[in-house]
Amino acid sequence: MSNNNKKWFSLNLGRKEKVSSGSCSCGKTSGGCGTSSNSHHMTDDEFAAAAINASIGEERTKDGFEQVFDVKMDRRTAFKKLTASLLIGAGAVSTSCSVISGDESREKSQIDWEEQFKGNYKLMTDEEKQATVDRLVRSYQLRTGKTLSMSSKNAEEDVLFGYAFNISKCQGYMDCVNACVEENNQDRDSQMQYIRIHEMKDGKGFNFNEADDNYYHEVPAEGHFYMGTQCFHCDNPPCVEVCPVQATWREDDGLVVVDYDWCVGCRYCMAACPYDGRRFNWSKPEVPEAEINHNQHYLGNRMRKKGVMEKCTFCVQRSRAGKNPACVEACPTGARIFGNLLDPNSTIRWVLENKKVFRLKEDLGTEPKFWYFMD
Amino acid sequence: MKNNIDIMSKIVCFSFFLLVFFSCKHHENEYHSITDKIEAESKNYHGTSISSEAYIGDIKTIEITEGGHTFLIPERKSQIKSYACTECHTKPLSQMQSKNLKKAHWDIKLDHANANTMNCITCHDGTNMDHLTSLTGKSIDFNNSYNMCSQCHNKQFEDWKGGAHGKRIGGWAPPRASMTCVNCHNPHKPHFESRWPARFNTQKVKERE
């Protein structure tokens, strides 16, 4: 259908570059494709009815067990279903091709179609990554009239990101949490936050059962110390292992990322993570338009939708550009250190080699790239 | 019949070796641990194209080399509002404490160590206010005031040189620019104040009820 060899099927709905053969992908040169005599122009209600029929059909009256074990899929029903789903497809095409709808809505549905059927980001070539990012930017522009910049920058060679956290420096101010929420466009309604700062009693070690990660009193409190947790970007990440659709993976620079458009929201990764590093969008994330951070990365802080996982990405949109993550920049005590583990002259390497560092649950073999140390 | 068994056992043997050969390839876990991986992969580190230079911004910096570490720190003298000090401090301090002269930074209270250890002239040179003075009376430039602090805070100084104490300016990538002591600590009152946390999650409270 399309001129370049993509890995997925895409319709060309009213794109200008294909006008040579006709105004529309249905092949008609004159008139909308919905106007021909034998075409079936559906109203919205009919469309919905057909969609439901095609997807569940008779099974509406059956319970789950019967639906699975009592399917009599003879050739006739199979064909019936096939025709119905084709009808839906035709409906979608006719809506987007119809002459009544404007150029913008046509472009919108073209983008929606291509976004719907795009592949896994992990498998995309650089051009495909750029194309999906362009589509998302254009889509945002069409919907809100505002522009944003979205990057699809890949991992750089000779870079492996690592993080160190100084327990004796953290005072529990939580400036990092604020900076993170703002930087990463996290849902304000559910007050989602990637970072948790735990207030722990001195002399009790890391006792997470007695720690408080939602304190509100003057800090630092007497007889307490503070430590932060977030996604540790394990080098052997269990969350990646369990993902049934490979929507999350470890990039070459060590970042564990999520393709929000490929995630099916099963939350296996949430269960597999031993550090509670992952967050789920139970509702549509709401961020006031004025507070949206427009400097985005496909794998980072772009707007998420309902029902997908998200997590700390070490601010991929910042770190791959050479900046420190927002939490590191916001920390007023200098308790957070970030850098390239492969650079022998980096400050993070000095910390690892000269301070007494340790990691959480090291015995699990997850190899987190997040070290704690004390003065 | 015997021939058949022979061939069969050969095939079984061959496929066994094939299986062993293929199943022993660990592409994912080439290294035993992350520290091994870091060590091995950084052996032929060639540097990256990523630079943090742009993010240092308008901050005027100077390059210093301390204990084998070379990095940038913010220039200090231009940030002190009434530098050079000798513009006002034309006379020795004892003569300036008279009542009829205009007052300046008279409200500074020293909250740093105790009176046995420190007073103004532990750091300031009464005879030349444009410089700091070390414990042995050597002159220290305001730009390199870390040399002042490091006389007592030796451990922090070591950590700061390496990068474990203090904060980076700009980003993680080279060139390294780090804040110097006085960018975070007021030398007259160096401790961090206690205050309220920047946020409180009311939703979390509801969830846990």
Side-chain angles (χ1 to χ4, degrees), chain A residues 156 158 173 175 178 191 213-214 217-219 235 250 319 321-323 329 331 341-342 349 355 359 367, chain B residues 34 37-38 42 46 49-50 52 55 159 162 167 171-172 192-195 197-199 201-202 208:
Chain A
E156 187 111 350
D158 267 343
Y173 295 147
D175 286 340
N178 261 3
Q191 297 181 30
D213 66 350
N214 199 29
H217 49 71
E218 218 163 295
V219 287
D235 220 46
R250 189 182 47 123
S319 52
K323 276 194 215 171
E329 197 169 282
C331 180
L341 294 168
L342 300 185
R349 276 289 287 274
K355 307 302 288 182
R359 292 171 291 171
E367 298 289 349
Chain B
I34 182 75
K37 179 177 172 179
I38 293 167
S42 62
H46 301 300
S49 65
I50 303 173
S52 297
Y55 308 120
D159 283 349
K167 208 178 149 176
W172 57 269
F192 277 65
E193 297 292 336
S194 75
R195 63 168 160 98
R199 87 187 275 118
N201 197 324
T202 51
R208 287 172 184 179

Side-chain angles (χ1 to χ4, degrees), chain A residues 165 170-178 193-200 208 211-215 219 225-230 279 327 336, chain B residues 197 199 204:
Chain A
F165 187 99
C170 182
Q171 309 278 299
Y173 295 147
M174 290 212 205
D175 286 340
C176 49
V177 183
N178 261 3
Q193 51 190 57
Y194 298 160
I195 305 172
R196 290 177 299 147
I197 304 289
H198 307 265
E199 186 180 70
M200 300 194 171
F208 283 95
D212 184 5
D213 66 350
N214 199 29
Y215 49 85
V219 287
F225 71 94
Y226 299 85
M227 59 106 55
T229 56
Q230 59 204 71
R279 305 285 178 269
C327 49
R336 294 167 174 272
Chain B
R199 87 187 275 118
K204 221 183 241 181

Side-chain angles (χ1 to χ4, degrees), chain A residues 173-325:
Chain A
Y173 295 147
M174 290 212 205
D175 286 340
C176 49
V177 183
N178 261 3
C180 175
V181 168
E182 280 162 28
E183 170 70 28
N184 290 302
N185 297 325
Q186 281 157 51
D187 182 21
R188 306 293 202 269
D189 276 358
S190 67
Q191 297 181 30
M192 184 194 286
Q193 51 190 57
Y194 298 160
I195 305 172
R196 290 177 299 147
I197 304 289
H198 307 265
E199 186 180 70
M200 300 194 171
K201 273 207 183 76
D202 282 344
K204 296 245 175 140
F206 282 166
N207 192 343
F208 283 95
N209 293 333
E210 286 179 34
D212 184 5
D213 66 350
N214 199 29
Y215 49 85
Y216 200 60
H217 49 71
E218 218 163 295
V219 287
E222 190 71 36
H224 288 83
F225 71 94
Y226 299 85
M227 59 106 55
T229 56
Q230 59 204 71
C231 172
F232 292 161
H233 295 269
C234 302
D235 220 46
N236 181 20
C239 52
V240 167
E241 298 281 309
V242 297
C243 182
V245 293
Q246 302 199 27
T248 181
W249 63 92
R250 189 182 47 123
E251 293 267 284
D252 283 341
D253 53 7
L255 301 181
V256 177
V257 292
V258 182
D259 182 352
Y260 310 121
D261 290 339
W262 203 253
C263 173
V264 292
C266 70
R267 299 193 290 131
Y268 279 20
C269 52
M270 203 179 186
C273 177
Y275 307 106
D276 189 17
R278 289 182 165 252
R279 305 285 178 269
F280 186 67
N281 284 297
W282 291 100
S283 55
K284 189 180 179 297
E286 298 291 348
V287 184
E289 188 62 42
E291 289 175 29
I292 290 180
N293 177 7
H294 287 107
N295 170 31
Q296 302 180 352
H297 191 286
Y298 183 93
L299 297 170
N301 58 349
R302 75 189 169 100
M303 303 309 289
R304 276 78 65 180
K305 45 197 168 187
K306 182 181 171 180
V308 299
M309 295 301 307
E310 59 176 286
K311 64 185 225 10
C312 157
T313 59
F314 280 167
C315 289
V316 56
Q317 67 281 357
R318 296 169 65 97
S319 52
R320 285 202 180 151
K323 276 194 215 171
N324 275 324

